[in-house]
Amino acid sequence: LVGSLAAELRSRLPDPGARRRVLERILGGRAADLVHAGDEAAGLAEMRRELDGASATPPGIVYLVGAGPGAGDLLTLRAHRLLGEADVIVHDRLVSDAVLDMARRDAERIYVGKHRADYALPQAEINALLVRLAREGKRVVRLKSGDPLVFGRAAEEASALAQAGITFEIVPGVTAALACAAQAGIPLTHATLASNLTFVTAHLRDGVLDADFDALAAVGGTLAVYMGLATLPALTSGLIAAGMPATRPAALIERGGTDAQRVLFADLGALAERGAGWAESGPVLALIGEAIGARPRVDPAARMPA
Amino acid sequence: LVGSLAAELRSRLPDPGARRRVLERILGGRAADLVHAGDEAAGLAEMRRELDGASATPPGIVYLVGAGPGAGDLLTLRAHRLLGEADVIVHDRLVSDAVLDMARRDAERIYVGKHRADYALPQAEINALLVRLAREGKRVVRLKSGDPLVFGRAAEEASALAQAGITFEIVPGVTAALACAAQAGIPLTHATLASNLTFVTAHLRDGVLDADFDALAAVGGTLAVYMGLATLPALTSGLIAAGMPATRPAALIERGGTDAQRVLFADLGALAERGAGWAESGPVLALIGEAIGARPRVDPAARMPA
């Protein structure tokens, strides 16, 4: 029964993903219930009805999904489910293999990389790619490191999809700053020391750091700076010039939210010099604020889980 | 074999959770491998060794875990696994039933609620409870709505645990602002409109809103305000008095990140009046910034997933 169904489907729906979805619907739906309940005739009629309705290309959908900070188990259950159902995965450079490995084995993977200002594909081409895939009836997961709306340009992609009439959904994720702080045990807000938390990116443009240092120095809580290591000297000197004390506690975190996470603690005034020895690859996160100084001091010997 | 092992364990380890963990270790470990490989004598000797080593109370551990915004499937895979392994769940009022239902069926559940400034237990008593449970050898999951380090006081609890020599781990989560924005399709950062994102709480103290409006009005990106609805008029008028234009786009979100999420869009100057009709229960989130005005405009008819 399933064999003849599959053969007929193959001739009607050339796209394997669309075919699989129809087959899943038929085998998991009312038709299967009827057959299992013993009413084979009604079950066959229901399958026929499903099959006839399936000839049209089904509408595609794009999920703009936060992949979290890197560790596979910091993905949300929703993102995990969608990865298992996707026909196509469109992903950036920063999305980890641990996460990509959770996608359906036969899902197509399209790399559209992104490393600082360099893009493997310009944003307009990524938008067009997502629209094209959805119009082919594909179930697309657009994976973005961290949370898709925090420096992830998901909003631009969502606008392009909306304009093209493509159905989309945004699935939030654990953004890097929260994962880094959790793993390193660093307070981000604090009852008395930090009533706010600001996420900011810092990138050099033509050698100059494009940031409103006065505002960042004045906001008063914790700063979480998503940046490249090369930007660090311009960031710290800019903040200090804007009035932030050089004694403000700070931390620098590399490969945050993964087993390879590395952290250094220093006052703001010493952070750039201390960080200069690190390899200049991959993104880093700087945390700056009085709350960082209030982190729990842990006896390392006591921290080994049972 | 397992029966006699369990009986001996029961007399040695009165705590069921500790007993279960030792049993799991023995049945999943080297002893079981030896028995399966046919060397029953060596397997029994290994089990005896494991059993003798298990007489001491095993060390407890506390996981400070982000429960996400409410929807059960916005929990991380790691949090989900820990909930399934916990002996005790210590949770706040805002943690949803969808998440609590994922805990091991026979785990003890302790409610330490928290509603605005009212605590079912004062923070010091929560700290002491966590320390006591860990000293009893329990595997404790302390569940906090959203992310534990974003207005969750996880850092205070971690410090108390560190001082008491208790092993702990912090597990990040999806914080409410990211989930609300994702579900409502609201940009938080934007290539040209918002290069930063500030999370802030706003609560009235003796009828007065304790916030640095000048700094919040100057920081220039998106503000995500975790607050009670009653605080809204003081917040919007404070920001406008500090120089933020009354025409700045804004959104108010209730029950964010759940199926019951409700959103209203208005300019900053109109937000408090428009929100006044909402029921004054539960937390709300206000998003304020130019990026909010750049949200994708979606034809509702096109948004029904296939």
Side-chain angles (χ1 to χ4, degrees), chain B residues 2 78 116 192 196 230 246 266:
Chain B
V2 172
R78 188 181 298 175
R116 294 207 207 135
T192 54
N196 64 53

Side-chain angles (χ1 to χ4, degrees), chain B:
Chain B
L1 187 63
V2 172
S4 71
L5 195 70
E8 181 165 351
L9 263 181
R10 194 166 304 124
S11 70
R12 285 181 180 229
L13 293 176
D15 180 69
R19 213 155 58 217
R20 185 177 47 81
R21 277 196 300 279
V22 170
L23 206 57
E24 281 172 5
R25 194 165 65 225
I26 293 180
L27 297 180
R30 196 169 159 261
D33 289 347
L34 288 165
V35 171
H36 286 144
D39 192 348
E40 208 163 305
L44 280 172
E46 176 69 20
M47 280 188 197
R48 166 66 42 208
R49 211 188 53 73
E50 288 264 18
L51 200 55
D52 289 342
S55 307
T57 303
I61 184 166
V62 178
Y63 297 95
L64 302 162
V65 176
D73 66 350
L74 290 178
L75 202 66
T76 64
L77 298 173
R78 188 181 298 175
H80 183 252
R81 176 175 60 78
L82 292 172
L83 278 174
E85 294 171 357
D87 300 314
V88 191
I89 313 288
V90 178
H91 66 94
D92 291 345
R93 196 185 74 91
L94 293 177
V95 172
S96 72
D97 289 342
V99 171
L100 288 174
D101 287 348
M102 292 181 182
R104 230 182 69 225
R105 197 170 272 275
D106 57 339
E108 185 183 358
R109 285 158 172 80
I110 301 178
Y111 168 70
V112 294
K114 185 161 140 185
H115 182 198
R116 294 207 207 135
D118 307 326
Y119 294 78
L121 277 186
Q123 188 63 49
E125 288 184 31
I126 296 175
N127 297 351
L129 172 70
L130 297 176
V131 168
R132 180 173 63 72
L133 291 168
R135 288 202 170 132
E136 289 170 5
K138 300 273 171 57
R139 186 175 286 262
V140 182
V141 167
R142 168 73 170 115
L143 264 184
K144 289 167 172 291
S145 132
D147 178 87
L149 289 168
V150 176
F151 310 125
R153 307 192 73 165
E156 281 99 319
E157 294 176 13
S159 285
L161 293 167
Q163 275 171 28
I166 305 289
T167 304
F168 68 89
E169 264 186 54
I170 306 177
V171 178
V174 173
T175 188
L178 304 188
C180 290
Q183 191 165 327
I186 301 175
L188 291 174
T189 64
H190 192 279
T192 54
L193 298 173
S195 68
N196 64 53
L197 163 64
T198 299
F199 295 169
V200 61
T201 44
H203 293 289
L204 298 170
R205 270 184 209 168
D206 305 323
V208 177
L209 185 50
D210 181 26
D212 184 347
F213 291 114
D214 290 334
L216 294 178
V219 71
T222 302
L223 295 182
V225 192
Y226 292 67
M227 61 191 296
L229 189 61
T231 312
L232 191 57
L235 176 79
T236 56
S237 59
L239 288 172
I240 291 168
M244 191 179 275
T247 54
R248 183 136 308 165
L252 194 67
I253 302 156
E254 193 182 49
R255 300 179 189 282
T258 73
D259 287 345
Q261 175 164 316
R262 185 159 64 149
V263 185
L264 77 80
F265 293 101
D267 287 352
L268 178 63
L271 195 66
E273 197 189 324
R274 295 278 310 280
W278 281 13
E280 197 194 325
S281 70
V284 295
L285 183 95
L287 294 173
I288 304 164
E290 291 299 342
I292 282 84
R295 66 188 179 279
R297 295 310 202 276
V298 174
D299 173 2
R303 290 221 56 200
M304 286 302 295

Side-chain angles (χ1 to χ4, degrees), chain A residues 235-237 239-240 244-250 266-273 288:
Chain A
L235 176 77
T236 57
S237 59
L239 289 172
I240 291 168
M244 191 179 276
T247 54
R248 179 128 323 157
D267 286 352
L268 178 63
L271 195 67
E273 198 190 323
I288 303 163

